[in-house]
Amino acid sequence: MSSSSGSGPGRGKKQVSDRPSPGAERAPDGGGGGSWRGLLFAGLALVVVAGLLVANRAMDDPAREPAARGAAADPAPHTAGAEDQGPGQREFGSLLARRDPGDPAAMGEADAPVVMVAYSDYNCPYCGRWTRETRPELMHYVERGDLRIELRDFPVITGSSETVSHAARAAGMQGGFWEFHEAYFSHGEKFEGEALEEVLDGIVAELDLDPERFEEDRHGDEAAAMVSRDFAEAQGIGVTSTPAFLVNGQPLMGAQPLSVFVSAVEDALADAGRGGDG
């Protein structure tokens, strides 16, 4: 199996100097500048035009290099802080919730009252911790139709991050996206080069995927376009580290304690007129 690691979509950008929140993996080439929470609300209209339209162009033009798409999505810096969050946050969150019933990287009902958008990197240890420890504790919300989780690829941690994102999308084309997601994170470490290829081979065998189709799909334009769309969207709203979440527009940064996610979901359910947990 040949490797397609190469350089990630965000490589070659200037490193952001602000410190990441606890439980967050800083993207080494994040770009975007400023606080992403401030960007969410102080520059809502600009972000919708500059970020989401760039993401749509990324899907329409899969032949372009991911790095070029990422650079095009860099937003202007903003200075508003978390205290400036206003009523625009919910409208913004609903714009980013795709609610596509056929999205292999989403779980839960398309019309669930709460949508959690999660920006993740397969080589981010905090993303792995969230996948192994926190997400299982939120599944009862998903199962009863209250929560939908939509995963977005933001591959910036190491050179192999984009390779794994493409592989996950290829697994998704055979109906195994979340199984791949969990199998890769179960290793709890980063892989590069031949070690990565051996891990991917093992996951393909474990999930009983068609290896020839998997190999073709992970090097294909469709997987690249999916990952690049997510990457452009993340940069368009100023995400610079992983994991990063939006819960009906409410930003959460890093692998926060379970109680923080429960509170965010419960608050969003209450706002939507749905009963609380229990």
Side-chain angles (χ1 to χ4, degrees):
M1 182 175 290
S2 61
S3 173
S4 65
S5 57
S7 58
R11 297 180 70 83
K13 307 291 291 182
K14 182 178 180 181
Q15 182 169 340
V16 179
S17 60
D18 55 326
R19 295 172 60 85
S21 302
E25 182 82 355
R26 174 65 64 185
D29 306 303
S35 167
W36 80 287
R37 293 191 180 198
L39 178 57
L40 279 171
F41 312 117
L44 177 61
L46 175 61
V47 169
V48 170
V49 174
L52 298 183
L53 290 183
V54 168
N56 288 336
R57 287 199 300 273
M59 281 295 291
D60 294 336
D61 188 9
R64 295 178 61 193
E65 287 297 324
R69 279 195 293 271
D74 283 346
H78 293 264
T79 57
E83 68 276 7
D84 299 311
Q85 296 176 7
Q89 69 181 50
R90 188 152 290 104
E91 292 95 8
F92 190 89
S94 65
L95 284 171
L96 292 180
R98 296 172 186 169
R99 295 187 180 274
D100 177 3
D103 184 358
M107 60 170 61
E109 299 296 330
D111 61 352
V114 181
V115 177
M116 176 184 293
V117 179
Y119 299 94
S120 180
D121 184 304
Y122 285 98
N123 286 325
C124 165
Y126 301 112
C127 300
R129 180 188 301 172
W130 186 85
T131 296
R132 293 186 300 269
E133 301 175 9
T134 305
R135 184 170 62 81
E137 299 298 323
L138 300 174
M139 287 304 297
H140 65 286
Y141 290 111
V142 176
E143 291 163 359
R144 74 187 192 191
D146 286 340
L147 175 65
R148 177 176 174 84
I149 300 175
E150 298 185 353
L151 190 135
R152 306 283 197 266
D153 287 292
F154 192 50
V156 290
I157 303 302
T158 76
S160 67
S161 294
E162 189 177 6
T163 299
V164 185
S165 288
H166 290 182
R169 294 297 178 163
M173 293 176 196
Q174 298 188 48
F177 177 86
W178 287 103
E179 291 81 1
F180 178 98
H181 186 78
E182 293 172 1
Y184 187 85
F185 275 129
S186 70
H187 292 281
E189 57 183 299
K190 304 173 184 178
F191 298 96
E192 303 281 347
E194 290 302 316
L196 173 58
E197 295 303 316
E198 291 178 5
V199 169
L200 296 182
D201 285 342
I203 294 175
V204 168
E206 175 186 345
L207 302 184
D208 197 25
L209 302 178
D210 180 335
E212 292 185 2
R213 180 183 173 188
F214 174 82
E215 193 62 13
E216 180 179 353
D217 288 341
R218 80 180 181 109
H219 294 296
D221 289 342
E222 185 176 357
M226 291 177 181
V227 174
S228 292
R229 177 189 182 185
D230 290 354
F231 184 84
E233 178 184 287
Q235 280 205 320
I237 63 171
V239 175
T240 60
S241 57
T242 55
F245 305 89
L246 292 173
V247 180
N248 276 15
Q250 174 65 43
L252 293 176
M253 199 66 204
Q256 299 284 347
L258 173 63
S259 60
V260 174
F261 289 95
V262 170
S263 294
V265 172
E266 287 290 325
D267 289 346
L269 283 172
D271 288 346
R274 299 286 285 261
D277 198 10

